[in-house]
Amino acid sequence: GAVVSQHPSRVICKSGTSVKIECRSLDFQATTMFWYRQFPKQSLMLMATSNEGSKATYEQGVEKDKFLINHASLTLSTLTVTSAHPEDSSFYICSALHGVTNNEQFFGPGTRLTVL
Amino acid sequence: AQTVTQSQPEMSVQEAETVTLSCTYDTSENNYYLFWYKQPPSRQMILVIRQEAYKQQNATENRFSVNFQKAAKSFSLKISDSQLGDTAMYFCAFMKPSNNDMRFGAGTRLTVKP
């Protein structure tokens, strides 16, 4: 089946630093990937849509200068949280769109970010 | 904008019994996809079942089936012969094929009791 990985699975950083999260589709090519944020006991909220070779599309209220997205290849998208603050602490989940399987999104295992 | 509503924050069911999770949505689209995802404590999102809006037949996957009522914009999930491993958060989701945006409901926490 289609597998999506995320790295790292957990990261703790100091306030003011930047953190990069990688999302990879391991056995298929994904022209489109998505980044979600999930607060404890809440649902997944779409942050942005990442398209290979073009700029990401951000949801309303998501700061594009704070959450930098780069989709440099058909198997890799990265999310960089710049100048992280404690309120950025959350669970970040990516998904990759598998065009062959009728537009199904395959989800990564998530990254837990804790900003001290 | 599409909205997805799950009105049951928590539910419980005895092992081997049947439970139904409700989901309603609001859209002006005629063509779309609906999904139920399971999120166990590991937080990995697992697809349970999907339904294409143009298909009248309700989707079924082993013990999982849906009752899709397009006119009522309702998409409930029935879990038969509940197992302890079914304990998880369940999210209903809506996706427009035009841009593949997926919107999730607030989730229902299901507990299967032995």
Side-chain angles (χ1 to χ4, degrees):
Chain A
V3 180
V4 176
S5 69
Q6 275 184 248
H7 178 79
S9 58
R10 290 174 177 265
V11 57
I12 301 173
C13 69
K14 292 183 178 180
S15 186
T17 61
S18 295
V19 174
K20 180 185 284 188
I21 303 170
E22 293 185 348
C23 177
R24 294 181 184 273
S25 56
L26 297 185
D27 50 3
F28 66 100
Q29 293 183 331
T31 56
T32 304
M33 292 183 173
F34 302 88
W35 288 96
Y36 298 85
R37 185 172 181 176
Q38 186 179 28
F39 289 109
K41 298 186 178 181
Q42 293 190 22
S43 187
L44 281 74
M45 298 300 295
L46 180 65
M47 298 175 66
T49 302
S50 169
N51 295 299
E52 188 266 338
S54 64
K55 291 184 178 181
T57 304
Y58 290 82
E59 292 299 300
Q60 191 173 7
V62 177
E63 300 175 60
K64 57 184 167 184
D65 293 331
K66 180 166 187 62
F67 298 99
L68 300 179
I69 291 173
N70 184 19
H71 194 153
S73 78
L74 289 172
T75 58
L76 173 64
S77 175
T78 60
L79 169 68
T80 301
V81 183
T82 63
S83 187
H85 287 94
E87 56 265 31
D88 298 325
S89 298
S90 188
F91 194 68
Y92 292 87
I93 303 175
C94 75
S95 71
L97 186 68
H98 196 316
V100 174
T101 61
N102 213 9
N103 293 340
E104 183 172 344
Q105 289 189 28
F106 290 88
F107 287 83
T111 296
R112 178 172 300 285
L113 170 64
T114 303
V115 185
L116 302 177
Chain B
Q2 286 67 232
T3 58
V4 180
T5 302
Q6 293 179 249
S7 58
Q8 306 151 314
E10 294 188 13
M11 291 195 72
S12 63
V13 63
Q14 290 295 133
E15 193 176 8
E17 293 189 348
T18 296
V19 64
T20 298
L21 309 184
S22 65
C23 172
T24 58
Y25 58 94
D26 186 26
T27 184
S28 57
E29 302 286 329
N30 188 50
N31 185 30
Y32 48 87
Y33 298 103
L34 295 165
F35 304 84
W36 278 98
Y37 282 92
K38 169 184 178 180
Q39 189 180 44
S42 68
R43 308 289 293 267
Q44 173 72 56
M45 295 290 283
I46 301 167
L47 177 65
V48 175
I49 200 165
R50 64 181 278 160
Q51 173 85 41
E52 289 86 356
Y54 64 86
K55 290 186 177 178
Q56 292 186 338
Q57 187 172 7
N58 290 323
T60 300
E61 286 289 340
N62 301 314
R63 298 183 295 109
F64 300 89
S65 62
V66 297
N67 183 4
F68 173 47
Q69 301 291 327
K70 190 172 183 179
K73 296 179 182 174
S74 171
F75 183 62
S76 61
L77 173 70
K78 185 172 82 171
I79 305 175
S80 303
D81 186 24
S82 297
Q83 300 176 359
L84 297 178
D86 294 335
T87 293
M89 281 291 290
Y90 286 81
F91 292 101
C92 178
F94 173 103
M95 187 174 85
K96 281 197 308 184
S98 57
N99 60 9
N100 297 303
D101 269 359
M102 186 173 285
R103 307 290 165 166
F104 289 86
T108 296
R109 181 173 301 278
L110 175 68
T111 302
V112 180
K113 298 179 178 179

